[in-house]
Amino acid sequence: MKGRVLGFDFGHKRIGTASGNRATGTTAPLETVAATRQGPDWPRLVGLVHAWRADELVVGLPLHMDGSESHLSREARRFGDELASRTGLPVALVDERLSSSEADDVLTLGSPPGKSRHRRRLAHRDSIAAELIVRTYLADNPAPTCNR
């Protein structure tokens, strides 16, 4: 396990991205990448992986509340497989149940009411959800410690 993790919140219209550092345990939202009917913007996504020099990738797996898979979870798995194929990096899947709701909560805190809050939420929700996915992954897969 190396240090740089890049996370993805897969969606049909937008894909949120975030970074994480295994050594420090820190995470940060990056950008939201557009997707179309033709699929994700692969050049942009692969470019982010290279620009951040990621060592491992994490894709959120949207499951039903009972843990069963949905149509979108199967698409997220395919997205992860394609991401691994295009980058040559390992891809882990992380249960992302409630990450979008939690992202909404994060965005609501400290935001003034009204349209500006709504615009901010739409602009950043997916990247915040990706950050929460990376944070979950790092918490569940801590860096090995050195025993001397």
Side-chain angles (χ1 to χ4, degrees):
M1 290 184 200
K2 294 185 181 179
R4 292 190 178 117
V5 178
L6 211 62
F8 301 87
D9 179 39
F10 173 76
H12 290 120
K13 294 180 181 178
R14 294 173 305 277
I15 298 166
T17 64
S19 66
N21 185 307
R22 185 177 289 288
T24 62
T26 56
T27 60
L30 296 178
E31 65 182 79
T32 300
V33 177
T36 66
R37 288 185 181 171
Q38 289 74 37
D41 182 349
W42 286 113
R44 182 70 193 133
L45 293 170
V46 172
L48 280 170
V49 171
H50 293 305
W52 282 89
R53 297 183 180 168
D55 299 305
E56 45 189 325
L57 307 175
V58 183
V59 173
L61 184 62
L63 300 171
H64 291 296
M65 291 309 292
D66 67 1
S68 63
E69 293 218 3
S70 66
H71 177 70
L72 190 57
S73 59
R74 289 185 290 278
E75 290 182 33
R77 284 183 186 279
R78 283 193 292 275
F79 171 79
D81 289 344
E82 184 68 20
L83 194 58
S85 175
R86 288 175 182 258
T87 64
L89 293 173
V91 174
L93 298 171
V94 173
D95 180 352
E96 70 161 38
R97 280 178 280 186
L98 302 178
S99 66
S100 293
S101 296
E102 194 174 340
D104 282 340
D105 292 344
V106 168
L107 290 169
T108 299
L109 295 174
S111 294
K115 288 186 179 183
S116 63
R117 181 175 73 185
H118 181 69
R119 283 191 195 117
R120 181 172 179 241
R121 180 179 296 134
L122 290 177
H124 300 290
R125 180 183 190 203
D126 299 303
S127 60
I128 297 290
E131 180 185 14
L132 295 170
I133 290 164
V134 172
R135 191 176 298 164
T136 299
Y137 177 74
L138 292 177
D140 292 346
N141 300 279
T145 57
C146 191
N147 296 324
R148 292 184 187 207

